[in-house]
Amino acid sequence: MKRPVVSRDPEIMGGTPVFSGTRVPVQTLLDYLEAGDSIDDFLAGFPSVNREQVIEFLEQAKDRLVATTS
């Protein structure tokens, strides 16, 4: 079974959604993108997150958005 890309645990960052296996909140990625920074900029700042996690998170977010607007 595939490991979830995002996890929530009250013992890690107070339950804030983070990239699984890290302490990096997914909101941080969204903040970077909103500010006009690239995925590469984000990855350079948070090496515990890998590109595959970012891409999978964005794909899942897109799928949820499309599903709710269809």
Side-chain angles (χ1 to χ4, degrees), residues 3-7 18-21 26 52-54 56-57 60:
R3 179 175 167 179
V5 71
V6 175
S7 62
V18 298
F19 286 98
S20 293
V26 295
E52 291 76 21
Q53 286 175 296
V54 170
E56 182 63 24
F57 169 75
Q60 288 178 14

Side-chain angles (χ1 to χ4, degrees), residues 4 10 14 25 28 36 50:
T28 304
N50 64 53

Side-chain angles (χ1 to χ4, degrees), residues 13-50:
M13 302 292 292
T16 299
V18 298
F19 286 98
S20 293
T22 77
R23 297 178 60 81
V24 179
V26 295
Q27 183 63 50
T28 304
L29 169 64
L30 298 174
D31 292 343
Y32 264 68
L33 297 176
E34 184 179 18
D37 294 319
S38 69
I39 291 173
D40 288 332
D41 293 332
F42 171 79
L43 293 171
F46 300 93
S48 62
V49 180
N50 64 53

